[in-house]
Amino acid sequence: MSKPLGVWHETTLHQQTIYQTTTVVGLKRNIDDVHGAASAVPAPKQTSRPSFIAPRGPPRLTASTIKCTRDAPLGPSEYSQRKEFASTPRCTQDASLSLSHPVYGLPRQLVANFSKLGIQSIYPWQKHCLLGPGILKGEKNLVYSAPTGGGKSLVADVLMLKQVLADRDAKAMLVLPYVALVQEKVRWLRNMVEGISREALGQGLKDDNKTWARRSDRDTVRVVGFFGGSKVKPTWHDFDIGICTIEKANALVNAAIDDCSITRLKIVVLDELHMIDDDYRGYLLELMATKLLCLSQPVQVVGMSATLTNINLLKTWLQGHSYETHYRPIPIEEHLVYDGKIFPADTTTQLLRAANEQLKSGLQNTQSQTQSQVLPVRVVEPSAHKEYKDPVLNAVVALATETARSGYGALVFAGSRAGCESDALLISRAMPTLNEADPVIQEKRLDLLGDLRSLATGLDRILEQTVPCGVGFHHAGLTTEERDLIAYAYDAGVLKICVATASLAAGINLPARRVILHNARMGRDLVGPSLLRQMRGRAGRKGKDEVGETYLCCQRKDLESVVDLMHADLPQISSCLISDKRRVQRAILEVIAIRLATSRESLDEYISKTMLSYSAESDSIQENVRASLEDLQYMGFVTVDNFSNYQVTRLGKAIVASAFDPEDGVFIHNEMKRALQAFVMDGEMHVLYNFTPVYDLGGTQINWRVFWNEMEQFDESGLRVMSLLGLKPTQISKMLHGGSLRETTPEEKDISRRYHRFYLALQLRDLCNEMPIHRVAQKYDTPRGSVQNLAQTCQGFAAGMIKFCEHMGWSAMGAALDHFSDRLKAGARADLLALAKITFVKSRTARVFWDNGFKTVAAVANADPRELVPVLMQAQPTKIRLEAKDEKRYEDKLFAKAKVISESANRLWQLEMQQEHDFDEE
Ligand SMILES: Nc1ncnc2c1ncn2[C@@H]1O[C@H](COP(=O)(O)OP(=O)(O)OP(=O)(O)O)[C@@H](O)[C@H]1O
Ligand SMILES: [Mg+2]
């Protein structure tokens, strides 16, 4: 077997389990068949938890000590940082700093909720921002910038809540760039609206006489998150505040303009607005906001970021007010570390000069006079351990463990997934062992290990070693559940150190007293100034910690570029719409398809409202628009009617309605045309291939040996699919022997995409045949996070494909795909998904509930919580037991859990009954 490509590692689950290999994809099965098939993997039957001893890890190491070189440290001390925060005026000094002040007009319950979440008084800048002319009334757009952790979200939260509480039909949308941020924000806003009743606000329903037919959540403010992996299909009816990723937001706005329901949208918040500059997805943000600016009805657009330099450009574009502040509730103490010496960040330029002079005069090994002028504040002693020989790593370990030993959290940023894991291991070896930790923390760490072990993917072998010592890692190679558990445990102080990639860099609120950067790299490259600022901005977040420090640890050879980076100005934000001609094509195609602009004049007007038109030459924009319109006609997406208006063709409409990128749309169209000519239905591969998402196929790494092996096992039907797609065994064999896929001509690019898509389709086939994610990941040499992403996005993509067929008038194909999409759901174990909505009943626990006869929410709801205790006992993972004495305590704990489960199931069951009523009514 060739060398593994991706990052994957073993988990505690055994590899020997045999999974079904015959297809279940093309066959209709009833739920019991599904159950039967799944029980090929027998659930371990046990009535009590067996104990086992933790695996012996490598020997413990000692972190180097860090010595002070002066009597008093330079820069802000912990005391001065606290003092600065304490000097911020509160509502006792200025009554309008309280959200209960009449000027904000917020309901009492909402103010109480803010207070419960730690916000008793707003900052003066937040007040000025909110009280800008026309802002609270929603009449004026707003763009503002404040440092990381400066409290930007609160301003936007107040504005959104104000709008949706003023009118029960009003909708608000919050757009965030990352799924982790969407999830965090959903939790936060749900807490914020808890207990707020529409009826209490005098917004009773018109159909009050039919209270029995009312949806039980109609009285509340509904906060819903929409992102790639989420199962929910976004419609305005389902939420009051929708929290979306950029792609989902754009699709939602397109659909709402098309069906005219957009009139309900009152406010759109664009958080992390600097993302507009992101070369990959930024243009979608710009497109979406431009559409809002073109609507005849007013929609308040609010944008914010910590890293905006040319805020005026954004202000002009959004035709609103702007506000800038440098206030940070917790000032951050910044440092540079190299060669084991810690310098305050503001002395780095002198330091660099000294280091250069030293080099020039050839005095590397002796103490130069100049260097003595820039004394480090502290020095990390070199380590005697060979594992910590590298001074950068040695400093990272010493700084991280020092923070943890004093009881606080440290967030370490590493440059790659592999770097995260090795740092976590090496740091954990210098941390106190589990037995040395506080008993309460010990218990919680064991619980965390148990929770991780009970996930479908099992417990990662590296986390198994690091978690007992209070260290975790977080990167996109882990599944979302693993990432959630790690972030949650770190937030709760169960883990003291979290090593992460840039996936935790923006927007997230975690308790990091120290942020430590191990080399400030992402992959091979140094990070940019914006990302650096975002990473450092995770330190000292109000409400999580009262003090913040950052340490950028670098190698000597990087010193010059790192010092430049530390002093670099943030780059100016600019539009990415024109950097690729396909983007203007998409911009135009979408507005023609949703009939926002169809004449050349209205299209020009639309383009004149983009941010691009405020920064680029108008001639080049015009030329781009002209060329794009020609291309769109050439590709058959739009036509011109007798009145010189542009009309979308069936294909163009199908692409926009399915939310495909036009280039992906062309690819899919070609693939579907092939499928229409010969759809292979005597096997599963062709169907699965058509359900395999085409986004970012280039990012898929193929292990050609695995590809070859799979192909060798194909029956005649599978081989026929490959030949129809133009995939050749000779090519795979060439690749196996070090060949490369040519991607020069469009045809070659298409062929390459097909190889990649097919490789993913093989993974999808195994997932549908109920092979667990971690096994698929191992088999295809892919990180399990990517396999999970495939499993989560394929259903949404399949729905897009079905829509695409409907719009193209390919109803037979649509119906066939629709039929098979059922199987896709079966692969995702639809039976267990219903149970998994119940609190605490996730993955393995859901399976154990099912196996014990609790197959529906109703069955769980109607059970006595005491009946659930033995089931829960069985579902508990094996766990390291400290002592056997606390069996009773353990049962009590499970009983408490059973009661929560029972309550949750009852709530869900009532909701189900209610919806059945609603359905009957309609
Ligand atoms: N007036 C306030 N009083 C107390 N805590 C506050 C106040 N405003 C914000 N906070 C808290 O400060 C922390 C950081 O706020 P927030 O997440 O809004 O920062 P941000 O400006 O969005 O930073 P970033 O640019 O990193 O996203 C949060 O925990 C938030 O609850
Ligand atoms: Mg933020």
Side-chain angles (χ1 to χ4, degrees), residues 117-123 126 146-154 188 271-272 306 507 509 534 537-538 541-544:
L117 292 169
I119 295 159
Q120 274 88 21
S121 187
I122 62 174
Y123 304 141
Q126 291 171 329
T148 47
K152 291 181 288 296
S153 318
L154 179 134
W188 173 263
D271 199 352
E272 311 295 345
N509 275 310
Q534 294 288 357
R538 294 317 104 205
R541 313 279 294 184
K542 183 75 196 123
K544 299 283 179 188

PDB file of all heavy atoms in Angstrom, residues 117-123 126 146-154 188 271-272 306 507 509 534 537-538 541-544, ligand 1:
ATOM      1  N   LEU A 117     -26.534  36.940  30.920  1.00  0.00           N
ATOM      2  CA  LEU A 117     -25.368  36.480  30.158  1.00  0.00           C
ATOM      3  C   LEU A 117     -24.143  37.374  30.382  1.00  0.00           C
ATOM      4  O   LEU A 117     -23.192  37.360  29.614  1.00  0.00           O
ATOM      5  CB  LEU A 117     -25.721  36.418  28.668  1.00  0.00           C
ATOM      6  CG  LEU A 117     -26.744  35.321  28.324  1.00  0.00           C
ATOM      7  CD1 LEU A 117     -27.265  35.448  26.918  1.00  0.00           C
ATOM      8  CD2 LEU A 117     -26.125  33.937  28.512  1.00  0.00           C
ATOM      9  N   GLY A 118     -24.210  38.201  31.419  1.00  0.00           N
ATOM     10  CA  GLY A 118     -23.018  38.958  31.831  1.00  0.00           C
ATOM     11  C   GLY A 118     -22.947  40.374  31.281  1.00  0.00           C
ATOM     12  O   GLY A 118     -21.934  41.051  31.431  1.00  0.00           O
ATOM     13  N   ILE A 119     -24.020  40.842  30.638  1.00  0.00           N
ATOM     14  CA  ILE A 119     -23.957  42.207  30.088  1.00  0.00           C
ATOM     15  C   ILE A 119     -24.908  43.112  30.856  1.00  0.00           C
ATOM     16  O   ILE A 119     -26.092  43.238  30.545  1.00  0.00           O
ATOM     17  CB  ILE A 119     -24.246  42.172  28.569  1.00  0.00           C
ATOM     18  CG1 ILE A 119     -23.111  41.382  27.927  1.00  0.00           C
ATOM     19  CG2 ILE A 119     -24.298  43.583  27.973  1.00  0.00           C
ATOM     20  CD1 ILE A 119     -23.396  40.820  26.619  1.00  0.00           C
ATOM     21  N   GLN A 120     -24.347  43.719  31.920  1.00  0.00           N
ATOM     22  CA  GLN A 120     -25.157  44.588  32.768  1.00  0.00           C
ATOM     23  C   GLN A 120     -25.164  46.002  32.215  1.00  0.00           C
ATOM     24  O   GLN A 120     -26.090  46.766  32.402  1.00  0.00           O
ATOM     25  CB  GLN A 120     -24.613  44.628  34.207  1.00  0.00           C
ATOM     26  CG  GLN A 120     -25.130  43.507  35.093  1.00  0.00           C
ATOM     27  CD  GLN A 120     -24.241  42.287  34.983  1.00  0.00           C
ATOM     28  OE1 GLN A 120     -23.086  42.399  34.584  1.00  0.00           O
ATOM     29  NE2 GLN A 120     -24.764  41.123  35.307  1.00  0.00           N
ATOM     30  N   SER A 121     -24.065  46.325  31.535  1.00  0.00           N
ATOM     31  CA  SER A 121     -23.885  47.700  31.101  1.00  0.00           C
ATOM     32  C   SER A 121     -23.203  47.640  29.738  1.00  0.00           C
ATOM     33  O   SER A 121     -22.342  46.786  29.535  1.00  0.00           O
ATOM     34  CB  SER A 121     -22.951  48.344  32.142  1.00  0.00           C
ATOM     35  OG  SER A 121     -22.824  49.688  31.916  1.00  0.00           O
ATOM     36  N   ILE A 122     -23.599  48.504  28.808  1.00  0.00           N
ATOM     37  CA  ILE A 122     -22.908  48.441  27.516  1.00  0.00           C
ATOM     38  C   ILE A 122     -21.719  49.398  27.517  1.00  0.00           C
ATOM     39  O   ILE A 122     -21.657  50.319  28.334  1.00  0.00           O
ATOM     40  CB  ILE A 122     -23.850  48.688  26.317  1.00  0.00           C
ATOM     41  CG1 ILE A 122     -24.465  50.077  26.352  1.00  0.00           C
ATOM     42  CG2 ILE A 122     -24.908  47.621  26.249  1.00  0.00           C
ATOM     43  CD1 ILE A 122     -25.286  50.405  25.110  1.00  0.00           C
ATOM     44  N   TYR A 123     -20.795  49.199  26.617  1.00  0.00           N
ATOM     45  CA  TYR A 123     -19.625  50.079  26.548  1.00  0.00           C
ATOM     46  C   TYR A 123     -20.038  51.397  25.887  1.00  0.00           C
ATOM     47  O   TYR A 123     -20.943  51.402  25.035  1.00  0.00           O
ATOM     48  CB  TYR A 123     -18.507  49.448  25.718  1.00  0.00           C
ATOM     49  CG  TYR A 123     -18.055  48.081  26.171  1.00  0.00           C
ATOM     50  CD1 TYR A 123     -17.744  47.101  25.239  1.00  0.00           C
ATOM     51  CD2 TYR A 123     -17.944  47.771  27.527  1.00  0.00           C
ATOM     52  CE1 TYR A 123     -17.325  45.830  25.636  1.00  0.00           C
ATOM     53  CE2 TYR A 123     -17.524  46.505  27.927  1.00  0.00           C
ATOM     54  CZ  TYR A 123     -17.230  45.536  26.992  1.00  0.00           C
ATOM     55  OH  TYR A 123     -16.830  44.293  27.386  1.00  0.00           O
ATOM     56  N   GLN A 126     -20.404  51.219  22.200  1.00  0.00           N
ATOM     57  CA  GLN A 126     -21.586  50.469  21.732  1.00  0.00           C
ATOM     58  C   GLN A 126     -22.808  51.397  21.761  1.00  0.00           C
ATOM     59  O   GLN A 126     -23.632  51.373  20.834  1.00  0.00           O
ATOM     60  CB  GLN A 126     -21.816  49.241  22.625  1.00  0.00           C
ATOM     61  CG  GLN A 126     -20.736  48.171  22.467  1.00  0.00           C
ATOM     62  CD  GLN A 126     -20.825  47.037  23.489  1.00  0.00           C
ATOM     63  OE1 GLN A 126     -21.255  47.235  24.633  1.00  0.00           O
ATOM     64  NE2 GLN A 126     -20.380  45.848  23.096  1.00  0.00           N
ATOM     65  N   ALA A 146     -14.253  47.518  15.339  1.00  0.00           N
ATOM     66  CA  ALA A 146     -13.723  47.597  16.708  1.00  0.00           C
ATOM     67  C   ALA A 146     -12.735  46.453  16.836  1.00  0.00           C
ATOM     68  O   ALA A 146     -12.862  45.453  16.133  1.00  0.00           O
ATOM     69  CB  ALA A 146     -14.854  47.438  17.720  1.00  0.00           C
ATOM     70  N   PRO A 147     -11.755  46.562  17.714  1.00  0.00           N
ATOM     71  CA  PRO A 147     -10.763  45.486  17.834  1.00  0.00           C
ATOM     72  C   PRO A 147     -11.409  44.138  18.159  1.00  0.00           C
ATOM     73  O   PRO A 147     -12.559  44.081  18.612  1.00  0.00           O
ATOM     74  CB  PRO A 147      -9.878  45.942  19.001  1.00  0.00           C
ATOM     75  CG  PRO A 147     -10.093  47.402  19.092  1.00  0.00           C
ATOM     76  CD  PRO A 147     -11.487  47.660  18.638  1.00  0.00           C
ATOM     77  N   THR A 148     -10.640  43.073  17.954  1.00  0.00           N
ATOM     78  CA  THR A 148     -11.141  41.736  18.308  1.00  0.00           C
ATOM     79  C   THR A 148     -11.522  41.741  19.790  1.00  0.00           C
ATOM     80  O   THR A 148     -10.801  42.304  20.614  1.00  0.00           O
ATOM     81  CB  THR A 148     -10.053  40.680  18.084  1.00  0.00           C
ATOM     82  OG1 THR A 148      -8.843  41.167  18.657  1.00  0.00           O
ATOM     83  CG2 THR A 148      -9.821  40.397  16.630  1.00  0.00           C
ATOM     84  N   GLY A 149     -12.649  41.143  20.094  1.00  0.00           N
ATOM     85  CA  GLY A 149     -13.104  41.108  21.492  1.00  0.00           C
ATOM     86  C   GLY A 149     -13.664  42.443  21.958  1.00  0.00           C
ATOM     87  O   GLY A 149     -13.961  42.617  23.138  1.00  0.00           O
ATOM     88  N   GLY A 150     -13.840  43.393  21.051  1.00  0.00           N
ATOM     89  CA  GLY A 150     -14.310  44.729  21.428  1.00  0.00           C
ATOM     90  C   GLY A 150     -15.807  44.781  21.692  1.00  0.00           C
ATOM     91  O   GLY A 150     -16.320  45.817  22.122  1.00  0.00           O
ATOM     92  N   GLY A 151     -16.530  43.704  21.409  1.00  0.00           N
ATOM     93  CA  GLY A 151     -17.970  43.681  21.695  1.00  0.00           C
ATOM     94  C   GLY A 151     -18.823  44.090  20.496  1.00  0.00           C
ATOM     95  O   GLY A 151     -19.901  44.668  20.674  1.00  0.00           O
ATOM     96  N   LYS A 152     -18.388  43.751  19.300  1.00  0.00           N
ATOM     97  CA  LYS A 152     -19.142  44.158  18.106  1.00  0.00           C
ATOM     98  C   LYS A 152     -20.490  43.445  18.006  1.00  0.00           C
ATOM     99  O   LYS A 152     -21.480  44.043  17.589  1.00  0.00           O
ATOM    100  CB  LYS A 152     -18.321  43.847  16.834  1.00  0.00           C
ATOM    101  CG  LYS A 152     -17.099  44.729  16.687  1.00  0.00           C
ATOM    102  CD  LYS A 152     -16.331  44.424  15.424  1.00  0.00           C
ATOM    103  CE  LYS A 152     -15.598  43.100  15.477  1.00  0.00           C
ATOM    104  NZ  LYS A 152     -14.533  43.041  16.495  1.00  0.00           N
ATOM    105  N   SER A 153     -20.501  42.165  18.407  1.00  0.00           N
ATOM    106  CA  SER A 153     -21.737  41.391  18.212  1.00  0.00           C
ATOM    107  C   SER A 153     -22.924  42.032  18.911  1.00  0.00           C
ATOM    108  O   SER A 153     -24.037  42.006  18.384  1.00  0.00           O
ATOM    109  CB  SER A 153     -21.575  39.978  18.765  1.00  0.00           C
ATOM    110  OG  SER A 153     -20.336  39.485  18.432  1.00  0.00           O
ATOM    111  N   LEU A 154     -22.685  42.598  20.091  1.00  0.00           N
ATOM    112  CA  LEU A 154     -23.806  43.112  20.868  1.00  0.00           C
ATOM    113  C   LEU A 154     -24.602  44.157  20.091  1.00  0.00           C
ATOM    114  O   LEU A 154     -25.840  44.166  20.112  1.00  0.00           O
ATOM    115  CB  LEU A 154     -23.281  43.711  22.183  1.00  0.00           C
ATOM    116  CG  LEU A 154     -24.356  44.295  23.079  1.00  0.00           C
ATOM    117  CD1 LEU A 154     -24.143  43.848  24.498  1.00  0.00           C
ATOM    118  CD2 LEU A 154     -24.422  45.799  23.020  1.00  0.00           C
ATOM    119  N   TRP A 188     -25.940  31.208  21.439  1.00  0.00           N
ATOM    120  CA  TRP A 188     -25.952  32.491  22.141  1.00  0.00           C
ATOM    121  C   TRP A 188     -27.303  33.188  21.970  1.00  0.00           C
ATOM    122  O   TRP A 188     -27.933  33.616  22.934  1.00  0.00           O
ATOM    123  CB  TRP A 188     -24.809  33.366  21.591  1.00  0.00           C
ATOM    124  CG  TRP A 188     -24.807  34.768  22.093  1.00  0.00           C
ATOM    125  CD1 TRP A 188     -25.326  35.858  21.455  1.00  0.00           C
ATOM    126  CD2 TRP A 188     -24.276  35.255  23.335  1.00  0.00           C
ATOM    127  NE1 TRP A 188     -25.148  36.988  22.206  1.00  0.00           N
ATOM    128  CE2 TRP A 188     -24.503  36.653  23.371  1.00  0.00           C
ATOM    129  CE3 TRP A 188     -23.635  34.662  24.418  1.00  0.00           C
ATOM    130  CZ2 TRP A 188     -24.094  37.452  24.436  1.00  0.00           C
ATOM    131  CZ3 TRP A 188     -23.236  35.466  25.487  1.00  0.00           C
ATOM    132  CH2 TRP A 188     -23.475  36.830  25.478  1.00  0.00           C
ATOM    133  N   ASP A 271     -21.320  39.682   9.538  1.00  0.00           N
ATOM    134  CA  ASP A 271     -20.231  39.680  10.527  1.00  0.00           C
ATOM    135  C   ASP A 271     -18.946  39.253   9.819  1.00  0.00           C
ATOM    136  O   ASP A 271     -19.001  38.579   8.800  1.00  0.00           O
ATOM    137  CB  ASP A 271     -20.561  38.703  11.667  1.00  0.00           C
ATOM    138  CG  ASP A 271     -19.731  38.990  12.916  1.00  0.00           C
ATOM    139  OD1 ASP A 271     -18.811  39.839  12.836  1.00  0.00           O
ATOM    140  OD2 ASP A 271     -19.985  38.369  13.958  1.00  0.00           O
ATOM    141  N   GLU A 272     -17.813  39.651  10.375  1.00  0.00           N
ATOM    142  CA  GLU A 272     -16.503  39.375   9.747  1.00  0.00           C
ATOM    143  C   GLU A 272     -16.521  39.888   8.300  1.00  0.00           C
ATOM    144  O   GLU A 272     -16.213  39.170   7.354  1.00  0.00           O
ATOM    145  CB  GLU A 272     -16.169  37.877   9.797  1.00  0.00           C
ATOM    146  CG  GLU A 272     -16.330  37.195  11.152  1.00  0.00           C
ATOM    147  CD  GLU A 272     -15.373  37.707  12.223  1.00  0.00           C
ATOM    148  OE1 GLU A 272     -14.391  38.384  11.882  1.00  0.00           O
ATOM    149  OE2 GLU A 272     -15.647  37.480  13.423  1.00  0.00           O
ATOM    150  N   ALA A 306     -13.102  43.330  12.738  1.00  0.00           N
ATOM    151  CA  ALA A 306     -12.000  43.911  13.514  1.00  0.00           C
ATOM    152  C   ALA A 306     -10.880  44.328  12.582  1.00  0.00           C
ATOM    153  O   ALA A 306      -9.962  45.024  12.981  1.00  0.00           O
ATOM    154  CB  ALA A 306     -11.473  42.875  14.500  1.00  0.00           C
ATOM    155  N   GLY A 507     -13.562  35.252  15.362  1.00  0.00           N
ATOM    156  CA  GLY A 507     -14.882  35.421  15.970  1.00  0.00           C
ATOM    157  C   GLY A 507     -15.204  34.621  17.210  1.00  0.00           C
ATOM    158  O   GLY A 507     -16.026  35.028  18.007  1.00  0.00           O
ATOM    159  N   ASN A 509     -15.474  32.917  20.826  1.00  0.00           N
ATOM    160  CA  ASN A 509     -15.239  33.356  22.199  1.00  0.00           C
ATOM    161  C   ASN A 509     -14.837  32.178  23.065  1.00  0.00           C
ATOM    162  O   ASN A 509     -15.657  31.327  23.386  1.00  0.00           O
ATOM    163  CB  ASN A 509     -16.532  33.951  22.774  1.00  0.00           C
ATOM    164  CG  ASN A 509     -16.677  35.397  22.406  1.00  0.00           C
ATOM    165  OD1 ASN A 509     -15.750  36.199  22.593  1.00  0.00           O
ATOM    166  ND2 ASN A 509     -17.813  35.746  21.851  1.00  0.00           N
ATOM    167  N   GLN A 534      -6.525  38.257  13.974  1.00  0.00           N
ATOM    168  CA  GLN A 534      -7.666  37.449  14.429  1.00  0.00           C
ATOM    169  C   GLN A 534      -7.219  36.395  15.441  1.00  0.00           C
ATOM    170  O   GLN A 534      -7.862  36.189  16.460  1.00  0.00           O
ATOM    171  CB  GLN A 534      -8.350  36.753  13.246  1.00  0.00           C
ATOM    172  CG  GLN A 534      -9.019  37.677  12.250  1.00  0.00           C
ATOM    173  CD  GLN A 534     -10.297  38.302  12.789  1.00  0.00           C
ATOM    174  OE1 GLN A 534     -10.730  38.007  13.895  1.00  0.00           O
ATOM    175  NE2 GLN A 534     -10.876  39.204  12.025  1.00  0.00           N
ATOM    176  N   GLY A 537      -6.377  37.881  18.634  1.00  0.00           N
ATOM    177  CA  GLY A 537      -7.599  38.432  19.224  1.00  0.00           C
ATOM    178  C   GLY A 537      -8.399  37.429  20.027  1.00  0.00           C
ATOM    179  O   GLY A 537      -9.389  37.770  20.661  1.00  0.00           O
ATOM    180  N   ARG A 538      -8.002  36.145  20.011  1.00  0.00           N
ATOM    181  CA  ARG A 538      -8.729  35.169  20.835  1.00  0.00           C
ATOM    182  C   ARG A 538      -8.316  35.281  22.295  1.00  0.00           C
ATOM    183  O   ARG A 538      -8.916  34.638  23.155  1.00  0.00           O
ATOM    184  CB  ARG A 538      -8.468  33.724  20.372  1.00  0.00           C
ATOM    185  CG  ARG A 538      -8.969  33.315  19.008  1.00  0.00           C
ATOM    186  CD  ARG A 538     -10.324  33.793  18.681  1.00  0.00           C
ATOM    187  NE  ARG A 538     -10.247  34.918  17.758  1.00  0.00           N
ATOM    188  CZ  ARG A 538     -11.162  35.839  17.621  1.00  0.00           C
ATOM    189  NH1 ARG A 538     -12.260  35.819  18.348  1.00  0.00           N
ATOM    190  NH2 ARG A 538     -11.022  36.834  16.774  1.00  0.00           N
ATOM    191  N   ARG A 541     -10.896  37.419  26.298  1.00  0.00           N
ATOM    192  CA  ARG A 541     -12.232  37.813  25.854  1.00  0.00           C
ATOM    193  C   ARG A 541     -13.080  38.121  27.076  1.00  0.00           C
ATOM    194  O   ARG A 541     -13.179  37.308  28.003  1.00  0.00           O
ATOM    195  CB  ARG A 541     -12.903  36.702  25.049  1.00  0.00           C
ATOM    196  CG  ARG A 541     -12.051  36.087  23.992  1.00  0.00           C
ATOM    197  CD  ARG A 541     -11.992  36.869  22.755  1.00  0.00           C
ATOM    198  NE  ARG A 541     -13.274  36.955  22.058  1.00  0.00           N
ATOM    199  CZ  ARG A 541     -13.418  37.555  20.881  1.00  0.00           C
ATOM    200  NH1 ARG A 541     -12.386  38.131  20.280  1.00  0.00           N
ATOM    201  NH2 ARG A 541     -14.595  37.617  20.300  1.00  0.00           N
ATOM    202  N   LYS A 542     -13.709  39.278  27.039  1.00  0.00           N
ATOM    203  CA  LYS A 542     -14.553  39.685  28.168  1.00  0.00           C
ATOM    204  C   LYS A 542     -15.624  38.627  28.425  1.00  0.00           C
ATOM    205  O   LYS A 542     -16.223  38.104  27.482  1.00  0.00           O
ATOM    206  CB  LYS A 542     -15.202  41.030  27.825  1.00  0.00           C
ATOM    207  CG  LYS A 542     -16.037  41.602  28.923  1.00  0.00           C
ATOM    208  CD  LYS A 542     -15.186  42.169  30.036  1.00  0.00           C
ATOM    209  CE  LYS A 542     -16.018  42.380  31.280  1.00  0.00           C
ATOM    210  NZ  LYS A 542     -15.470  41.653  32.424  1.00  0.00           N
ATOM    211  N   GLY A 543     -15.858  38.351  29.674  1.00  0.00           N
ATOM    212  CA  GLY A 543     -16.853  37.327  30.010  1.00  0.00           C
ATOM    213  C   GLY A 543     -16.206  35.954  30.117  1.00  0.00           C
ATOM    214  O   GLY A 543     -16.764  35.038  30.696  1.00  0.00           O
ATOM    215  N   LYS A 544     -15.014  35.797  29.530  1.00  0.00           N
ATOM    216  CA  LYS A 544     -14.332  34.512  29.573  1.00  0.00           C
ATOM    217  C   LYS A 544     -13.062  34.620  30.419  1.00  0.00           C
ATOM    218  O   LYS A 544     -12.641  33.678  31.043  1.00  0.00           O
ATOM    219  CB  LYS A 544     -13.920  34.058  28.169  1.00  0.00           C
ATOM    220  CG  LYS A 544     -15.081  33.870  27.223  1.00  0.00           C
ATOM    221  CD  LYS A 544     -15.789  32.571  27.516  1.00  0.00           C
ATOM    222  CE  LYS A 544     -16.977  32.374  26.609  1.00  0.00           C
ATOM    223  NZ  LYS A 544     -17.778  31.239  26.997  1.00  0.00           N
TER     224      LYS A 544
HETATM  225  N1  LIG B   1     -21.001  45.585  27.237  1.00  0.00           N
HETATM  226  C1  LIG B   1     -20.469  44.412  27.538  1.00  0.00           C
HETATM  227  N2  LIG B   1     -20.312  44.033  28.816  1.00  0.00           N
HETATM  228  C2  LIG B   1     -19.763  42.836  29.124  1.00  0.00           C
HETATM  229  N3  LIG B   1     -19.327  41.954  28.218  1.00  0.00           N
HETATM  230  C3  LIG B   1     -19.463  42.281  26.919  1.00  0.00           C
HETATM  231  C4  LIG B   1     -20.027  43.511  26.511  1.00  0.00           C
HETATM  232  N4  LIG B   1     -20.022  43.551  25.156  1.00  0.00           N
HETATM  233  C5  LIG B   1     -19.490  42.374  24.747  1.00  0.00           C
HETATM  234  N5  LIG B   1     -19.153  41.617  25.807  1.00  0.00           N
HETATM  235  C6  LIG B   1     -18.529  40.276  25.781  1.00  0.00           C
HETATM  236  O1  LIG B   1     -17.244  40.384  25.198  1.00  0.00           O
HETATM  237  C7  LIG B   1     -16.903  39.192  24.509  1.00  0.00           C
HETATM  238  C8  LIG B   1     -16.418  39.540  23.122  1.00  0.00           C
HETATM  239  O2  LIG B   1     -17.445  40.173  22.399  1.00  0.00           O
HETATM  240  P1  LIG B   1     -17.709  39.905  20.845  1.00  0.00           P
HETATM  241  O3  LIG B   1     -17.778  38.454  20.555  1.00  0.00           O
HETATM  242  O4  LIG B   1     -18.848  40.740  20.432  1.00  0.00           O
HETATM  243  O5  LIG B   1     -16.352  40.467  20.213  1.00  0.00           O
HETATM  244  P2  LIG B   1     -16.088  40.930  18.738  1.00  0.00           P
HETATM  245  O6  LIG B   1     -15.913  42.393  18.744  1.00  0.00           O
HETATM  246  O7  LIG B   1     -17.140  40.389  17.839  1.00  0.00           O
HETATM  247  O8  LIG B   1     -14.660  40.258  18.443  1.00  0.00           O
HETATM  248  P3  LIG B   1     -14.154  39.458  17.141  1.00  0.00           P
HETATM  249  O9  LIG B   1     -13.661  40.486  16.184  1.00  0.00           O
HETATM  250  O10 LIG B   1     -13.037  38.619  17.679  1.00  0.00           O
HETATM  251  O11 LIG B   1     -15.296  38.687  16.606  1.00  0.00           O
HETATM  252  C9  LIG B   1     -18.165  38.344  24.486  1.00  0.00           C
HETATM  253  O12 LIG B   1     -18.010  37.315  25.424  1.00  0.00           O
HETATM  254  C10 LIG B   1     -19.255  39.306  24.874  1.00  0.00           C
HETATM  255  O13 LIG B   1     -20.311  38.667  25.539  1.00  0.00           O
END
